[in-house]
Amino acid sequence: MATPLVIHDRNVMRELILSSRTIGRRVGFVPTMGSLHAGHTSLVDQAVAECDDVVTSIFVNPSQFGPQEDFEKYPRDFDADFNLLARHNVCWIFAPDVHEMYPPGDSTRIEIGGPADPYEGTLRPGHFSGVATIVFRLLQAVPSHAVYFGAKDWQQVLVVRQMVHDLQLDVQVMTCPTVRDTDGLALSSRNTYLNESERNRAQTIYAALQQAEQNWCRGLAIDTIEQKLRDMLTAKEIQIDYADIVHAESLKKISEVSQNTPAIFLIACRLGSTRLIDNILLPSRAFSSC
Ligand code: AMP
């Protein structure tokens, strides 16, 4: 266990990374909003396995929250995060304050099209602009070789990849699998908002996704698979924002399935006032896994 160095200043952070790169070390970066759990540390572990030095940022990014969203109440516990990251061999923790990332007078935002438009982009206007803007600024402060994101936030990964492609950023975007609780619920900092009944019902989300995967493999029609999932969730009084099988790269609805279409089932739903997202990648019907 190494004690991570906590850096608040982006110029200091950048100098440290550049010095590390100069001596030939590979730097990995895991951006987070803190309130860390095993999903976050799985990203850190992959970065540590693939890189010489790993930076984790902890920054609750105001520009990706809508006015009615949970920016104020978002869980924050720096000491717990620090101790967890120390156990996972992070070298530096970048923990800027809001003015460090959004200097007074700031009025610049990055707008992404394509994968940022549907689903979360429609339901949370400005969300992906906030995500892209902070990821870009964090990458300026942390000029790493590779940046790690979780597949749980699938659309976010596509948006970051689009930005990296379009702005020709010199960083590799890595995607890590979703880490789940023992009952299948995807780990999320927002799970702490769920009361006991909501938490129990929330396990249906992954159960329904698994059932959808089986139905996909059995060759059921897409509409039928989607409807069965919706029925399972509504039976547990889970409100559905969207539940669609889409092309995993373009996020366009799939009507017919050819054997090699990369497909994903995307869900956003609400239990009480808590909004959760999840997904399952659907195997190619050409593979024996189906
Ligand atoms: P957040 O702190 O929620 O912004 O998440 C920071 C990073 O951790 C993002 O790339 C997320 O996709 C990733 N992440 C969050 N939850 C999980 C999970 N259960 N499994 C894998 N990655 C996750």
Side-chain angles (χ1 to χ4, degrees), residues 31-34 37 39-40 43 74 149-150 152-153 156 177-179 187:
T32 81
M33 297 206 298
H37 49 64
H40 298 111
L43 272 54
Y74 196 83
F149 289 92
K152 183 180 91 67
D153 300 282
Q156 172 171 274
T178 300
V179 176
L187 296 182

Side-chain angles (χ1 to χ4, degrees), residues 98-174:
V98 171
H99 290 305
E100 191 67 11
M101 301 315 292
Y102 296 97
D106 163 80
S107 65
T108 300
R109 293 289 177 274
I110 295 177
E111 294 292 340
I112 314 269
D117 287 336
Y119 299 110
E120 296 301 296
T122 306
L123 291 168
R124 303 181 67 191
H127 171 66
F128 284 130
S129 174
V131 169
T133 301
I134 194 60
V135 171
F136 181 84
R137 292 182 186 193
L138 287 170
L139 287 170
Q140 297 293 109
V142 185
S144 51
H145 294 88
V147 61
Y148 292 76
F149 289 92
K152 183 180 91 67
D153 300 282
W154 185 259
Q155 195 177 357
Q156 172 171 274
V157 173
L158 297 183
V159 169
V160 171
R161 284 186 187 280
Q162 185 76 48
M163 175 178 73
V164 165
H165 171 267
D166 295 353
L167 301 183
Q168 302 174 4
L169 304 181
D170 187 16
V171 66
Q172 259 184 297
V173 180
M174 314 299 285

Side-chain angles (χ1 to χ4, degrees), residues 208-246:
L209 283 171
Q210 284 182 304
Q211 187 206 61
E213 183 186 22
Q214 285 164 12
N215 288 336
W216 168 266
C217 290
R218 286 168 51 211
L220 266 62
I222 287 176
D223 286 355
T224 310
I225 301 171
E226 289 173 346
Q227 193 53 51
K228 283 177 179 291
L229 177 135
R230 287 163 188 273
D231 291 346
M232 242 176 119
L233 296 187
T234 43
K236 295 284 179 184
E237 294 175 31
I238 298 173
Q239 278 88 43
I240 299 167
D241 280 355
Y242 55 82
D244 283 346
I245 294 176
V246 296

Side-chain angles (χ1 to χ4, degrees), residues 60-77:
V60 185
N61 174 36
S63 73
Q64 72 187 69
F65 289 79
Q68 310 302 325
E69 294 183 0
D70 55 342
F71 175 69
E72 293 299 338
K73 78 164 182 174
Y74 196 83
R76 294 160 169 91
D77 187 344

